[in-house]
Every structure is written in structure tokens, then in C-alpha cells.
Amino acid sequence: MPYRLGADLEVRCVSEPNVLRVEGLRVHYQTPAGPVKAVDGVSFAVQPGERFGLVGESGSGKSTIALSLLRMIKPPGRVEDGSVTLDGVELLELTDEEMRRVRLARISLVAQGAMNSLNPVKRIREQIALGLREHGAAREGRAFDTFLTELLERVGLRRGVGDMFPHELSGGMKQRVCIAMAISLEPQVIVADEPTTALDVVVQWQVIDTLRRVQSELGAAVIQIGHDMGLMAHSVERIGVMYAGKLVESAAVRDLFRAPLHPYTQLLIASLPSLDGKERLQGIAGSPPSLLNPPAGCPFHPRCPFVMDVCRTTMPPPREHRPGHFAACHLYETS
Ligand code: SF4
């Protein structure tokens, strides 16, 4: 039985086909040199049960979006503008206590680097019990043992793992524990921020398979953050491509890989190794821009092989150029 919120939050839900909707999100980090525009006007929506991936280079704003969805941005970072609605509830307007109740119960995080997310001096069972207690869903004695066994088995771990400390587990096991915690209250949305960082390739695939299986069993939506286009292509249904704090393209995986529209996406895909390994790998010339002083117009223009005059002055708005396929690029503007 999924954990339920109090009636005060339920009553603020409105009918909405998307379980999560992000509109015009802007997140800045204040620095002595000025604001770093880590996320600059990002909008997207995710349907119940959907697997949506966000890809991009380091510093493109992916992880800042992940933290914003859970209201976990810490100073000097701040959400400057925008809206994040979960099942019709505006998360950015909740009180801290209301948001604490929503976190884990309705939207949960599988954070980067499992070791940093687990308490090194508490056994796994204590850490899972704490999460339940904090949300008024504590189980005692036998009921908790049964719950724990089922939860661990769901992510492919034996029951004995509950009695272990994090340092006794391998990297893959720790990441499975993090997934178990993230699903312990059966949330509607799971945000997985680079869930396979620092794992070897075989374990990466196992962890991704586990995440995929449990979200499908729960019917939860997943927002998976990463930089590995290949891994992403096999684990999500729709991909959004981030560049310099902006979402520059989004489409179903198949459409994005078959016919990418944005030049940055085209170059990202061209930089992937082919199976036969005969083609020379292509890099992307130049470096990502400073988010302190991003270039005027399209932020990709200093690196873009198709740059035009208008690109240097005007940011193209994201438009639906094919059904379900959005891109922000002047190449496809008709007038
Ligand atoms: Fe290149 Fe211009 Fe498109 Fe930006 S808007 S990606 S610079 S063509």
C-alpha cells in the first residue's frame, strides 16, 4: 500500500496527465563574481511510469535540476524562478515540513555516489527503518523483518544485507541499497542522479536493470541523470539533452538517435564509438561556456559548425519540430 500524504496536500492536487511538470526553472549560484546560471529556463514533463533521461556534459545543469526537484538546493544556490508540480502540487510553494513529507514518499532520490548517501556507522536495516519512521510509516518486529526482506529481494539483495554496514558491501550492492531506500515508500517519481558513477561496466548494467525493474513494478516515473548516451539509450524511453543550463533537445530515444536535430546532439551521438570500432572517434571542438558569463544568443554558437548571425544574438526557443521532438535551434526556424 503506497504511503499517503495528509489530506491538506491531497486537496491541493489537480487533475494532470503528467505526474511531474517543470516549467521555466531557473537556478542560480551566487558567487563574488556574479550569479552562475546553472539552470536557465528549463521546462519538461514526465508521465506516470515513464523513464525520462537527462544527458549532457559536466556542468550542464543536470544534477542541479535533480536537486531542485527535491528542493535540496543549498545556498549559495537558489531557485530563482519557475514551477515544479508533482501530481498538481506546486513543490516550490510547500513549507519545509510539507516538502519533507513529500520527499521519499512521493519523489525520491538515488544520489550520485552511494557511499556518500549511506550512513557509515549504521546498519542498513537501521537506515531503512529511520526513513519509514520519519514518514510515520514505521513497522516493528516481525512486520519490519518481512518488509525488509521483501524490499532487499526486490533489488536483488539477500536478507542478510540488512544486518551489514555500508563498508561491508561492494559498490553495486551499496547502490542497490540506495535504490531500496528510494522505493521503500513507493514514490510516484524516482530521480536517479548518475546512479552508476564509479561502478564497473558490468555492474552499471545490473544496477540500471534493477532500477528499471523496480520502477516498472511500482509504476513509478524515473528521471535518470547521466552523461553516458549509450547507457541512457538502453534505459530510458525519452531523452532530454542539456547544454549550458538549457534543455536544447528532447525526443523519444529512437527519434533522437535516428534523426537528432540540434547540432550539439548530433555531435554527441557522432562521438559515440561504433560496434566495429572502425570509425575514428569525433570529439566536439571547444569547451562548454562559463555559466557566469554565458555567450549571448545560443550558448552553443561558439562551437557550432552551423552557426549563423542570428545565433550570436538570439536564443532560439524550444519548438516541436516533429511530433514529440523538440529542439531549440535556429536551423529549423521557418521565418
Ligand atoms: Fe548552432 Fe545556431 Fe542552432 Fe545554436 S541555434 S545550435 S548556433 S545553428
Side-chain angles (χ1 to χ4, degrees):
M1 179 72 180
Y3 172 85
R4 305 298 298 171
L5 287 172
D8 53 332
L9 287 183
E10 298 293 348
V11 88
R12 284 149 70 177
C13 295
V14 294
S15 174
E16 153 80 78
N18 298 300
V19 64
L20 186 84
R21 179 179 285 278
V22 175
E23 282 180 70
L25 185 67
R26 284 183 210 282
V27 185
H28 294 179
Y29 290 90
Q30 298 302 327
T31 72
V36 171
K37 298 173 184 118
V39 176
D40 195 14
V42 167
S43 303
F44 63 88
V46 182
Q47 295 189 345
E50 187 183 19
R51 294 190 304 276
F52 178 62
L54 275 176
V55 291
E57 292 165 289
S58 291
S60 60
K62 315 176 299 280
S63 293
T64 300
I65 290 179
L67 294 177
S68 306
L69 300 183
L70 287 114
R71 288 250 313 259
M72 290 169 66
I73 295 287
K74 298 264 184 294
R78 205 175 77 171
V79 175
E80 298 288 336
D81 198 7
S83 161
V84 178
T85 51
L86 176 66
D87 217 7
V89 172
E90 175 54 77
L91 298 186
L92 301 184
E93 288 175 1
L94 296 184
T95 64
D96 289 349
E97 172 55 21
E98 286 171 337
M99 191 61 213
R100 187 192 66 74
R101 284 154 54 200
V102 167
R103 247 181 249 123
L104 194 66
R106 279 206 158 161
I107 179 166
S108 65
L109 177 69
V110 180
Q112 262 186 55
M115 198 59 208
N116 301 332
S117 338
L118 297 173
N119 185 333
V121 296
K122 284 200 185 301
R123 294 180 199 278
I124 301 305
R125 62 183 297 127
E126 294 170 58
Q127 301 192 43
I128 290 174
L130 181 65
L132 300 184
R133 244 189 341 266
E134 290 283 315
H135 287 79
R139 290 171 168 82
E140 303 300 335
R142 264 228 169 98
F144 177 67
D145 286 343
T146 307
F147 172 83
L148 183 66
T149 302
E150 286 173 5
L151 185 65
L152 292 174
E153 281 175 354
R154 223 166 173 176
V155 297
L157 293 171
R158 60 193 164 77
R159 59 188 294 183
V161 167
D163 294 320
M164 298 168 86
F165 290 97
H167 70 85
E168 296 177 282
L169 307 176
S170 68
M173 290 166 85
K174 283 195 278 261
Q175 200 55 285
R176 282 165 196 267
V177 167
C178 291
I179 295 173
M181 287 177 167
I183 63 165
S184 59
L185 290 172
E186 305 194 357
Q188 292 164 287
V189 177
I190 302 166
V191 181
D193 185 10
E194 310 248 13
T196 57
T197 300
L199 299 179
D200 68 51
V201 176
V202 174
V203 180
Q204 280 184 4
W205 286 95
Q206 290 169 349
V207 167
I208 288 296
D209 277 349
T210 302
L211 182 61
R212 209 175 143 149
R213 185 170 40 73
V214 294
Q215 71 81 212
S216 154
E217 285 168 9
L218 288 182
V222 165
I223 299 175
Q224 189 178 320
I225 313 278
H227 57 265
D228 184 332
M229 289 284 273
L231 194 64
M232 201 62 92
H234 287 277
S235 40
V236 300
E237 294 154 327
R238 204 157 52 86
I239 293 189
V241 180
M242 294 286 301
Y243 186 79
K246 295 181 188 296
L247 187 64
V248 295
E249 182 161 6
S250 67
V253 168
R254 182 177 293 228
D255 297 337
L256 192 101
F257 277 84
R258 274 198 185 152
L261 292 173
H262 197 281
Y264 176 61
T265 315
Q266 292 168 357
L267 290 168
L268 267 186
I269 292 172
S271 69
L272 293 173
S274 63
L275 265 183
D276 56 21
K278 285 184 186 152
E279 291 160 31
R280 258 180 89 101
L281 291 184
Q282 284 184 40
I284 303 179
S287 338
S290 155
L291 298 181
L292 195 55
N293 290 304
C298 168
F300 191 56
H301 85 249
R303 305 170 80 184
C304 180
F306 307 107
V307 61
M308 302 173 283
D309 285 346
V310 64
C311 307
R312 297 189 174 91
T313 56
T314 311
M315 174 63 202
R319 288 199 207 283
E320 189 173 14
H321 297 285
R322 297 179 193 137
H325 194 151
F326 295 78
C329 178
H330 287 301
L331 283 176
Y332 307 99
E333 299 289 315
T334 48
S335 57

